[in-house]
Amino acid sequence: MKSLEEYLLLAAQDYGHMCPGQVLGVRMAMLGLRKLGIDEPVQQRKRLLTFVEIDRCATDAVSLVTGCRLGKRSLKYLDYGKVAATFVDLETHRAVRVAARDDARAKAKGMFPGLADLSQQQLEAYKVMGDADLFTVHWVRVKLTPEDLPGRPRSRVTCEQCGEGINDGRDQRVEGRILCRNCAGESYYEIVTSDE
Ligand SMILES: [Zn+2]
Ligand SMILES: [Zn+2]
C-alpha cells in the first residue's frame, strides 16, 4: 500500500481536485484493506471485491486505493447515500464494512481554526484524526452468487419483450416469459420516441 499522502496526490491528479470526501475515501479503503490483511491491493486484484454506498468523491478514492472498478465487476455500487464501503476478501471470505461517523464533522470543526473555510478545515482534520474518530468498523457477511463475481459472464439471455440481451442472471421470469428488469416493471426510464 502507498501512504496517505501518496494516494491523495494521485487522487488530486486523477480527479482534478482535492476534497474532504476523497480523504475519507482513501482512509476508509486503507483501513478496510489493513483489517483484511491485504497489503498490495493492485497486485491482488482478483482477491478483492468492494461495495460502495454513495456516488460521490469518496467512492472514486476507494476505487483508486483498492483498484476495484465497475468495469471489472470488482466495484459494486449500491445507492444508499452513505459514505461507507464493504471490502470483501474473496480468498478468506471475510468482509469488513467501514462507515464514516456522522459526528466526525463536528469533531473536525475547529481543529484547524486558522484555515479559511469549513471544507479546508475538514480536509486537514480528516488527514490526522484517528480511525476510531472517523469510522465505525464491522465484520460482516456478504451474500455473493457466482453471477456477482468478476470474470466472464455466467449467463446471457434475451428479453422476450424488448429483445435486449441480459447478462449474469439479471433476467426475471414473469408469467413464463424471460424479461429484463425494465420490461418487468422496474424501469428507471420511459421511452419517449424511437430515434430511427
Ligand atoms: Zn471531491
Ligand atoms: Zn426488456
Side-chain angles (χ1 to χ4, degrees):
M1 243 190 284
K2 300 182 199 305
S3 69
L4 174 65
E5 289 304 325
E6 284 175 300
Y7 281 128
L8 293 181
L9 216 64
L10 286 174
Q13 273 167 20
D14 284 9
Y15 307 119
H17 73 289
M18 182 38 56
C19 66
Q22 285 174 320
V23 181
L24 282 181
V26 167
R27 291 202 52 186
M28 180 178 279
M30 291 177 75
L31 179 59
L33 292 172
R34 264 205 314 277
K35 293 278 175 195
L36 290 175
I38 297 178
D39 290 326
E40 298 291 348
V42 176
Q43 276 147 48
Q44 294 173 284
R45 246 178 236 285
K46 298 225 162 106
R47 196 174 154 187
L48 188 67
L49 203 71
T50 302
F51 290 79
V52 289
E53 301 183 17
I54 198 162
D55 48 353
R56 291 204 175 268
C57 290
T59 287
D60 284 338
V62 167
S63 176
L64 176 89
V65 174
T66 58
C68 291
R69 288 165 33 202
L70 271 181
K72 293 276 177 215
R73 305 195 89 213
S74 53
L75 188 73
K76 309 286 189 191
Y77 166 56
L78 300 167
D79 194 8
Y80 287 6
K82 291 180 171 184
V83 181
T86 296
F87 305 90
V88 183
D89 185 337
L90 294 172
E91 272 176 19
T92 62
H93 303 288
R94 293 197 311 160
V96 66
R97 182 173 179 274
V98 183
R101 296 179 63 109
D102 237 26
D103 57 10
R105 288 161 175 260
K107 269 190 191 149
K109 217 174 161 182
M111 279 178 67
F112 291 87
L115 292 171
D117 61 41
L118 184 63
S119 162
Q120 207 61 34
Q121 289 175 9
Q122 271 177 348
L123 194 150
E124 291 307 322
Y126 291 167
K127 286 185 196 171
V128 296
M129 285 169 69
D131 284 332
D133 284 331
L134 285 178
F135 303 113
T136 57
V137 177
H138 290 97
W139 290 99
V140 298
R141 203 165 304 147
V142 179
K143 273 187 220 142
L144 287 171
T145 69
E147 285 80 13
D148 295 324
L149 299 176
R152 295 167 58 84
R154 302 303 197 283
S155 69
R156 183 163 176 92
V157 297
T158 304
C159 174
E160 290 180 31
Q161 192 156 309
C162 67
E164 294 178 355
I166 312 152
N167 278 6
D168 290 309
R170 268 53 177 177
D171 50 293
Q172 303 191 356
R173 305 282 135 144
V174 182
E175 291 165 1
R177 297 169 79 211
I178 295 172
L179 296 182
C180 69
R181 287 174 68 171
N182 289 297
C183 294
E186 290 179 28
S187 194
Y188 69 93
Y189 62 84
E190 214 178 308
I191 290 180
V192 178
T193 178
S194 171
D195 185 30
E196 273 166 11

